[in-house]
Amino acid sequence: MSKREAIVNDIVEKIKAIRTVKLGRVAREPMFRDQTEFYNLARTAFPHIVVTSGNESRDDITMGYSRTQSKREGNLNIEINVFVRASDKTIDETCNTLIEALEEQLDKDRERNGNAHNFQITQITMGEPMEHPYAQFTMTAEVIYTYTTGDV
């Protein structure tokens, strides 16, 4: 498994371990394909969290290391897309509670189980307004890690 894949899997597993708030489904793919399917999801599917790897910039950090291998550094963006359904709280309170729980859990291991040098939530973006009582936000995290090319 690549370090990139291991990092994303670690994030999914750490989110699934959250016990401070009730979570619905945490996965790499959404349970819905369109708006109709989204609004038909069971209450137990919320909050619905989808973790995906995003853009990445890479740089060589060694020169002349080997003809077949070199050390590289990756700066990977991870997107944590959260879909919520408010119940006894306002939508804003529900989102804020989840943001805090996610950030606290993910900050416990900034090295992503030894696969990264640093992990940091860099941005939280609120989604477009949705039909009440639903909302969506995206947490963007930056992960810095190194890997050796040619290692499979």
Side-chain angles (χ1 to χ4, degrees), residues 25 29-41 48 50 83:
R25 184 170 189 268
E29 298 290 331
M31 283 177 59
F32 54 90
R33 293 177 299 240
D34 58 32
Q35 193 171 7
T36 303
E37 287 184 3
F38 171 78
Y39 288 116
N40 287 330
L41 289 176
H48 184 69
V50 181
F83 301 88

mmCIF file with all atom_site columns, all heavy atoms in Angstrom, residues 25 29-41 48 50 83:
data_model
loop_
_atom_site.group_PDB
_atom_site.id
_atom_site.type_symbol
_atom_site.label_atom_id
_atom_site.label_alt_id
_atom_site.label_comp_id
_atom_site.label_asym_id
_atom_site.label_entity_id
_atom_site.label_seq_id
_atom_site.pdbx_PDB_ins_code
_atom_site.Cartn_x
_atom_site.Cartn_y
_atom_site.Cartn_z
_atom_site.occupancy
_atom_site.B_iso_or_equiv
_atom_site.pdbx_formal_charge
_atom_site.auth_seq_id
_atom_site.auth_comp_id
_atom_site.auth_asym_id
_atom_site.auth_atom_id
_atom_site.pdbx_PDB_model_num
ATOM 1   N N   . ARG A 1 25 ? -22.267 7.437  8.745  1.00 0.00 ? 25 ARG A N   1
ATOM 2   C CA  . ARG A 1 25 ? -21.376 6.642  7.895  1.00 0.00 ? 25 ARG A CA  1
ATOM 3   C C   . ARG A 1 25 ? -20.103 7.426  7.604  1.00 0.00 ? 25 ARG A C   1
ATOM 4   O O   . ARG A 1 25 ? -20.151 8.606  7.272  1.00 0.00 ? 25 ARG A O   1
ATOM 5   C CB  . ARG A 1 25 ? -22.087 6.308  6.588  1.00 0.00 ? 25 ARG A CB  1
ATOM 6   C CG  . ARG A 1 25 ? -21.284 5.406  5.679  1.00 0.00 ? 25 ARG A CG  1
ATOM 7   C CD  . ARG A 1 25 ? -22.155 4.923  4.532  1.00 0.00 ? 25 ARG A CD  1
ATOM 8   N NE  . ARG A 1 25 ? -21.492 3.894  3.765  1.00 0.00 ? 25 ARG A NE  1
ATOM 9   C CZ  . ARG A 1 25 ? -20.740 4.138  2.697  1.00 0.00 ? 25 ARG A CZ  1
ATOM 10  N NH1 . ARG A 1 25 ? -20.553 5.365  2.282  1.00 0.00 ? 25 ARG A NH1 1
ATOM 11  N NH2 . ARG A 1 25 ? -20.194 3.138  2.035  1.00 0.00 ? 25 ARG A NH2 1
ATOM 12  N N   . GLU A 1 29 ? -16.287 6.797  -0.217 1.00 0.00 ? 29 GLU A N   1
ATOM 13  C CA  . GLU A 1 29 ? -17.242 7.099  -1.287 1.00 0.00 ? 29 GLU A CA  1
ATOM 14  C C   . GLU A 1 29 ? -18.587 7.452  -0.663 1.00 0.00 ? 29 GLU A C   1
ATOM 15  O O   . GLU A 1 29 ? -18.967 6.870  0.348  1.00 0.00 ? 29 GLU A O   1
ATOM 16  C CB  . GLU A 1 29 ? -17.433 5.889  -2.204 1.00 0.00 ? 29 GLU A CB  1
ATOM 17  C CG  . GLU A 1 29 ? -16.179 5.445  -2.927 1.00 0.00 ? 29 GLU A CG  1
ATOM 18  C CD  . GLU A 1 29 ? -15.724 6.419  -3.987 1.00 0.00 ? 29 GLU A CD  1
ATOM 19  O OE1 . GLU A 1 29 ? -16.580 7.133  -4.561 1.00 0.00 ? 29 GLU A OE1 1
ATOM 20  O OE2 . GLU A 1 29 ? -14.519 6.483  -4.245 1.00 0.00 ? 29 GLU A OE2 1
ATOM 21  N N   . PRO A 1 30 ? -19.330 8.380  -1.256 1.00 0.00 ? 30 PRO A N   1
ATOM 22  C CA  . PRO A 1 30 ? -20.651 8.722  -0.707 1.00 0.00 ? 30 PRO A CA  1
ATOM 23  C C   . PRO A 1 30 ? -21.662 7.605  -0.937 1.00 0.00 ? 30 PRO A C   1
ATOM 24  O O   . PRO A 1 30 ? -21.489 6.771  -1.824 1.00 0.00 ? 30 PRO A O   1
ATOM 25  C CB  . PRO A 1 30 ? -21.049 9.985  -1.480 1.00 0.00 ? 30 PRO A CB  1
ATOM 26  C CG  . PRO A 1 30 ? -20.268 9.909  -2.745 1.00 0.00 ? 30 PRO A CG  1
ATOM 27  C CD  . PRO A 1 30 ? -18.990 9.180  -2.427 1.00 0.00 ? 30 PRO A CD  1
ATOM 28  N N   . MET A 1 31 ? -22.717 7.601  -0.120 1.00 0.00 ? 31 MET A N   1
ATOM 29  C CA  . MET A 1 31 ? -23.795 6.614  -0.247 1.00 0.00 ? 31 MET A CA  1
ATOM 30  C C   . MET A 1 31 ? -24.836 7.049  -1.270 1.00 0.00 ? 31 MET A C   1
ATOM 31  O O   . MET A 1 31 ? -25.830 6.368  -1.452 1.00 0.00 ? 31 MET A O   1
ATOM 32  C CB  . MET A 1 31 ? -24.514 6.436  1.097  1.00 0.00 ? 31 MET A CB  1
ATOM 33  C CG  . MET A 1 31 ? -23.780 5.602  2.093  1.00 0.00 ? 31 MET A CG  1
ATOM 34  S SD  . MET A 1 31 ? -24.660 5.510  3.666  1.00 0.00 ? 31 MET A SD  1
ATOM 35  C CE  . MET A 1 31 ? -26.222 4.791  3.224  1.00 0.00 ? 31 MET A CE  1
ATOM 36  N N   . PHE A 1 32 ? -24.645 8.188  -1.896 1.00 0.00 ? 32 PHE A N   1
ATOM 37  C CA  . PHE A 1 32 ? -25.659 8.711  -2.804 1.00 0.00 ? 32 PHE A CA  1
ATOM 38  C C   . PHE A 1 32 ? -25.008 9.201  -4.086 1.00 0.00 ? 32 PHE A C   1
ATOM 39  O O   . PHE A 1 32 ? -23.838 9.568  -4.106 1.00 0.00 ? 32 PHE A O   1
ATOM 40  C CB  . PHE A 1 32 ? -26.437 9.847  -2.131 1.00 0.00 ? 32 PHE A CB  1
ATOM 41  C CG  . PHE A 1 32 ? -25.556 10.947 -1.604 1.00 0.00 ? 32 PHE A CG  1
ATOM 42  C CD1 . PHE A 1 32 ? -25.223 12.038 -2.397 1.00 0.00 ? 32 PHE A CD1 1
ATOM 43  C CD2 . PHE A 1 32 ? -25.036 10.885 -0.323 1.00 0.00 ? 32 PHE A CD2 1
ATOM 44  C CE1 . PHE A 1 32 ? -24.394 13.035 -1.921 1.00 0.00 ? 32 PHE A CE1 1
ATOM 45  C CE2 . PHE A 1 32 ? -24.202 11.889 0.160  1.00 0.00 ? 32 PHE A CE2 1
ATOM 46  C CZ  . PHE A 1 32 ? -23.887 12.971 -0.643 1.00 0.00 ? 32 PHE A CZ  1
ATOM 47  N N   . ARG A 1 33 ? -25.795 9.187  -5.164 1.00 0.00 ? 33 ARG A N   1
ATOM 48  C CA  . ARG A 1 33 ? -25.299 9.650  -6.461 1.00 0.00 ? 33 ARG A CA  1
ATOM 49  C C   . ARG A 1 33 ? -25.894 10.989 -6.871 1.00 0.00 ? 33 ARG A C   1
ATOM 50  O O   . ARG A 1 33 ? -25.356 11.664 -7.727 1.00 0.00 ? 33 ARG A O   1
ATOM 51  C CB  . ARG A 1 33 ? -25.603 8.616  -7.534 1.00 0.00 ? 33 ARG A CB  1
ATOM 52  C CG  . ARG A 1 33 ? -24.837 7.322  -7.368 1.00 0.00 ? 33 ARG A CG  1
ATOM 53  C CD  . ARG A 1 33 ? -25.256 6.344  -8.432 1.00 0.00 ? 33 ARG A CD  1
ATOM 54  N NE  . ARG A 1 33 ? -26.678 6.065  -8.305 1.00 0.00 ? 33 ARG A NE  1
ATOM 55  C CZ  . ARG A 1 33 ? -27.200 4.874  -8.090 1.00 0.00 ? 33 ARG A CZ  1
ATOM 56  N NH1 . ARG A 1 33 ? -26.432 3.833  -8.014 1.00 0.00 ? 33 ARG A NH1 1
ATOM 57  N NH2 . ARG A 1 33 ? -28.489 4.707  -7.972 1.00 0.00 ? 33 ARG A NH2 1
ATOM 58  N N   . ASP A 1 34 ? -27.024 11.330 -6.264 1.00 0.00 ? 34 ASP A N   1
ATOM 59  C CA  . ASP A 1 34 ? -27.674 12.578 -6.637 1.00 0.00 ? 34 ASP A CA  1
ATOM 60  C C   . ASP A 1 34 ? -28.461 13.122 -5.447 1.00 0.00 ? 34 ASP A C   1
ATOM 61  O O   . ASP A 1 34 ? -28.549 12.497 -4.394 1.00 0.00 ? 34 ASP A O   1
ATOM 62  C CB  . ASP A 1 34 ? -28.561 12.407 -7.869 1.00 0.00 ? 34 ASP A CB  1
ATOM 63  C CG  . ASP A 1 34 ? -29.644 11.347 -7.672 1.00 0.00 ? 34 ASP A CG  1
ATOM 64  O OD1 . ASP A 1 34 ? -30.132 11.178 -6.531 1.00 0.00 ? 34 ASP A OD1 1
ATOM 65  O OD2 . ASP A 1 34 ? -30.011 10.700 -8.660 1.00 0.00 ? 34 ASP A OD2 1
ATOM 66  N N   . GLN A 1 35 ? -29.054 14.272 -5.647 1.00 0.00 ? 35 GLN A N   1
ATOM 67  C CA  . GLN A 1 35 ? -29.776 14.956 -4.585 1.00 0.00 ? 35 GLN A CA  1
ATOM 68  C C   . GLN A 1 35 ? -30.970 14.138 -4.072 1.00 0.00 ? 35 GLN A C   1
ATOM 69  O O   . GLN A 1 35 ? -31.233 14.101 -2.878 1.00 0.00 ? 35 GLN A O   1
ATOM 70  C CB  . GLN A 1 35 ? -30.247 16.322 -5.107 1.00 0.00 ? 35 GLN A CB  1
ATOM 71  C CG  . GLN A 1 35 ? -30.716 17.240 -4.022 1.00 0.00 ? 35 GLN A CG  1
ATOM 72  C CD  . GLN A 1 35 ? -30.970 18.639 -4.563 1.00 0.00 ? 35 GLN A CD  1
ATOM 73  O OE1 . GLN A 1 35 ? -30.909 18.882 -5.762 1.00 0.00 ? 35 GLN A OE1 1
ATOM 74  N NE2 . GLN A 1 35 ? -31.258 19.556 -3.673 1.00 0.00 ? 35 GLN A NE2 1
ATOM 75  N N   . THR A 1 36 ? -31.660 13.467 -4.963 1.00 0.00 ? 36 THR A N   1
ATOM 76  C CA  . THR A 1 36 ? -32.812 12.659 -4.551 1.00 0.00 ? 36 THR A CA  1
ATOM 77  C C   . THR A 1 36 ? -32.380 11.561 -3.590 1.00 0.00 ? 36 THR A C   1
ATOM 78  O O   . THR A 1 36 ? -32.983 11.363 -2.535 1.00 0.00 ? 36 THR A O   1
ATOM 79  C CB  . THR A 1 36 ? -33.501 12.040 -5.780 1.00 0.00 ? 36 THR A CB  1
ATOM 80  O OG1 . THR A 1 36 ? -33.882 13.081 -6.668 1.00 0.00 ? 36 THR A OG1 1
ATOM 81  C CG2 . THR A 1 36 ? -34.727 11.239 -5.371 1.00 0.00 ? 36 THR A CG2 1
ATOM 82  N N   . GLU A 1 37 ? -31.312 10.854 -3.934 1.00 0.00 ? 37 GLU A N   1
ATOM 83  C CA  . GLU A 1 37 ? -30.808 9.798  -3.053 1.00 0.00 ? 37 GLU A CA  1
ATOM 84  C C   . GLU A 1 37 ? -30.326 10.379 -1.728 1.00 0.00 ? 37 GLU A C   1
ATOM 85  O O   . GLU A 1 37 ? -30.502 9.772  -0.680 1.00 0.00 ? 37 GLU A O   1
ATOM 86  C CB  . GLU A 1 37 ? -29.686 9.018  -3.730 1.00 0.00 ? 37 GLU A CB  1
ATOM 87  C CG  . GLU A 1 37 ? -30.155 8.098  -4.824 1.00 0.00 ? 37 GLU A CG  1
ATOM 88  C CD  . GLU A 1 37 ? -29.027 7.273  -5.405 1.00 0.00 ? 37 GLU A CD  1
ATOM 89  O OE1 . GLU A 1 37 ? -27.875 7.370  -4.930 1.00 0.00 ? 37 GLU A OE1 1
ATOM 90  O OE2 . GLU A 1 37 ? -29.305 6.514  -6.350 1.00 0.00 ? 37 GLU A OE2 1
ATOM 91  N N   . PHE A 1 38 ? -29.701 11.554 -1.784 1.00 0.00 ? 38 PHE A N   1
ATOM 92  C CA  . PHE A 1 38 ? -29.213 12.190 -0.558 1.00 0.00 ? 38 PHE A CA  1
ATOM 93  C C   . PHE A 1 38 ? -30.360 12.437 0.417  1.00 0.00 ? 38 PHE A C   1
ATOM 94  O O   . PHE A 1 38 ? -30.289 12.060 1.584  1.00 0.00 ? 38 PHE A O   1
ATOM 95  C CB  . PHE A 1 38 ? -28.505 13.511 -0.882 1.00 0.00 ? 38 PHE A CB  1
ATOM 96  C CG  . PHE A 1 38 ? -28.159 14.312 0.335  1.00 0.00 ? 38 PHE A CG  1
ATOM 97  C CD1 . PHE A 1 38 ? -27.064 13.967 1.108  1.00 0.00 ? 38 PHE A CD1 1
ATOM 98  C CD2 . PHE A 1 38 ? -28.932 15.395 0.722  1.00 0.00 ? 38 PHE A CD2 1
ATOM 99  C CE1 . PHE A 1 38 ? -26.738 14.686 2.248  1.00 0.00 ? 38 PHE A CE1 1
ATOM 100 C CE2 . PHE A 1 38 ? -28.620 16.126 1.852  1.00 0.00 ? 38 PHE A CE2 1
ATOM 101 C CZ  . PHE A 1 38 ? -27.513 15.774 2.618  1.00 0.00 ? 38 PHE A CZ  1
ATOM 102 N N   . TYR A 1 39 ? -31.422 13.067 -0.046 1.00 0.00 ? 39 TYR A N   1
ATOM 103 C CA  . TYR A 1 39 ? -32.542 13.393 0.831  1.00 0.00 ? 39 TYR A CA  1
ATOM 104 C C   . TYR A 1 39 ? -33.322 12.160 1.288  1.00 0.00 ? 39 TYR A C   1
ATOM 105 O O   . TYR A 1 39 ? -34.095 12.229 2.238  1.00 0.00 ? 39 TYR A O   1
ATOM 106 C CB  . TYR A 1 39 ? -33.473 14.420 0.174  1.00 0.00 ? 39 TYR A CB  1
ATOM 107 C CG  . TYR A 1 39 ? -32.866 15.797 0.118  1.00 0.00 ? 39 TYR A CG  1
ATOM 108 C CD1 . TYR A 1 39 ? -32.589 16.410 -1.095 1.00 0.00 ? 39 TYR A CD1 1
ATOM 109 C CD2 . TYR A 1 39 ? -32.533 16.479 1.284  1.00 0.00 ? 39 TYR A CD2 1
ATOM 110 C CE1 . TYR A 1 39 ? -32.023 17.679 -1.147 1.00 0.00 ? 39 TYR A CE1 1
ATOM 111 C CE2 . TYR A 1 39 ? -31.959 17.740 1.241  1.00 0.00 ? 39 TYR A CE2 1
ATOM 112 C CZ  . TYR A 1 39 ? -31.705 18.334 0.031  1.00 0.00 ? 39 TYR A CZ  1
ATOM 113 O OH  . TYR A 1 39 ? -31.130 19.588 -0.011 1.00 0.00 ? 39 TYR A OH  1
ATOM 114 N N   . ASN A 1 40 ? -33.105 11.016 0.653  1.00 0.00 ? 40 ASN A N   1
ATOM 115 C CA  . ASN A 1 40 ? -33.772 9.776  1.060  1.00 0.00 ? 40 ASN A CA  1
ATOM 116 C C   . ASN A 1 40 ? -32.931 8.922  2.008  1.00 0.00 ? 40 ASN A C   1
ATOM 117 O O   . ASN A 1 40 ? -33.367 7.854  2.420  1.00 0.00 ? 40 ASN A O   1
ATOM 118 C CB  . ASN A 1 40 ? -34.158 8.944  -0.168 1.00 0.00 ? 40 ASN A CB  1
ATOM 119 C CG  . ASN A 1 40 ? -35.332 9.553  -0.902 1.00 0.00 ? 40 ASN A CG  1
ATOM 120 O OD1 . ASN A 1 40 ? -36.190 10.192 -0.303 1.00 0.00 ? 40 ASN A OD1 1
ATOM 121 N ND2 . ASN A 1 40 ? -35.366 9.366  -2.211 1.00 0.00 ? 40 ASN A ND2 1
ATOM 122 N N   . LEU A 1 41 ? -31.728 9.383  2.366  1.00 0.00 ? 41 LEU A N   1
ATOM 123 C CA  . LEU A 1 41 ? -30.893 8.624  3.304  1.00 0.00 ? 41 LEU A CA  1
ATOM 124 C C   . LEU A 1 41 ? -31.564 8.561  4.678  1.00 0.00 ? 41 LEU A C   1
ATOM 125 O O   . LEU A 1 41 ? -32.225 9.509  5.107  1.00 0.00 ? 41 LEU A O   1
ATOM 126 C CB  . LEU A 1 41 ? -29.518 9.273  3.456  1.00 0.00 ? 41 LEU A CB  1
ATOM 127 C CG  . LEU A 1 41 ? -28.564 9.173  2.280  1.00 0.00 ? 41 LEU A CG  1
ATOM 128 C CD1 . LEU A 1 41 ? -27.287 9.956  2.569  1.00 0.00 ? 41 LEU A CD1 1
ATOM 129 C CD2 . LEU A 1 41 ? -28.231 7.721  1.977  1.00 0.00 ? 41 LEU A CD2 1
ATOM 130 N N   . HIS A 1 48 ? -22.838 12.094 7.589  1.00 0.00 ? 48 HIS A N   1
ATOM 131 C CA  . HIS A 1 48 ? -22.282 11.270 6.518  1.00 0.00 ? 48 HIS A CA  1
ATOM 132 C C   . HIS A 1 48 ? -20.947 11.910 6.143  1.00 0.00 ? 48 HIS A C   1
ATOM 133 O O   . HIS A 1 48 ? -20.923 13.053 5.675  1.00 0.00 ? 48 HIS A O   1
ATOM 134 C CB  . HIS A 1 48 ? -23.250 11.259 5.334  1.00 0.00 ? 48 HIS A CB  1
ATOM 135 C CG  . HIS A 1 48 ? -22.831 10.379 4.215  1.00 0.00 ? 48 HIS A CG  1
ATOM 136 N ND1 . HIS A 1 48 ? -22.821 9.012  4.315  1.00 0.00 ? 48 HIS A ND1 1
ATOM 137 C CD2 . HIS A 1 48 ? -22.416 10.670 2.962  1.00 0.00 ? 48 HIS A CD2 1
ATOM 138 C CE1 . HIS A 1 48 ? -22.417 8.491  3.166  1.00 0.00 ? 48 HIS A CE1 1
ATOM 139 N NE2 . HIS A 1 48 ? -22.170 9.479  2.335  1.00 0.00 ? 48 HIS A NE2 1
ATOM 140 N N   . VAL A 1 50 ? -17.301 11.749 4.068  1.00 0.00 ? 50 VAL A N   1
ATOM 141 C CA  . VAL A 1 50 ? -16.594 11.168 2.933  1.00 0.00 ? 50 VAL A CA  1
ATOM 142 C C   . VAL A 1 50 ? -15.178 11.755 2.909  1.00 0.00 ? 50 VAL A C   1
ATOM 143 O O   . VAL A 1 50 ? -15.012 12.979 2.829  1.00 0.00 ? 50 VAL A O   1
ATOM 144 C CB  . VAL A 1 50 ? -17.315 11.468 1.603  1.00 0.00 ? 50 VAL A CB  1
ATOM 145 C CG1 . VAL A 1 50 ? -16.574 10.841 0.435  1.00 0.00 ? 50 VAL A CG1 1
ATOM 146 C CG2 . VAL A 1 50 ? -18.764 10.988 1.654  1.00 0.00 ? 50 VAL A CG2 1
ATOM 147 N N   . PHE A 1 83 ? -21.648 15.791 5.628  1.00 0.00 ? 83 PHE A N   1
ATOM 148 C CA  . PHE A 1 83 ? -23.050 16.103 5.383  1.00 0.00 ? 83 PHE A CA  1
ATOM 149 C C   . PHE A 1 83 ? -23.794 15.866 6.689  1.00 0.00 ? 83 PHE A C   1
ATOM 150 O O   . PHE A 1 83 ? -23.706 14.782 7.263  1.00 0.00 ? 83 PHE A O   1
ATOM 151 C CB  . PHE A 1 83 ? -23.617 15.208 4.276  1.00 0.00 ? 83 PHE A CB  1
ATOM 152 C CG  . PHE A 1 83 ? -22.888 15.353 2.970  1.00 0.00 ? 83 PHE A CG  1
ATOM 153 C CD1 . PHE A 1 83 ? -21.768 14.583 2.697  1.00 0.00 ? 83 PHE A CD1 1
ATOM 154 C CD2 . PHE A 1 83 ? -23.310 16.270 2.025  1.00 0.00 ? 83 PHE A CD2 1
ATOM 155 C CE1 . PHE A 1 83 ? -21.080 14.721 1.500  1.00 0.00 ? 83 PHE A CE1 1
ATOM 156 C CE2 . PHE A 1 83 ? -22.633 16.422 0.831  1.00 0.00 ? 83 PHE A CE2 1
ATOM 157 C CZ  . PHE A 1 83 ? -21.518 15.648 0.568  1.00 0.00 ? 83 PHE A CZ  1
#
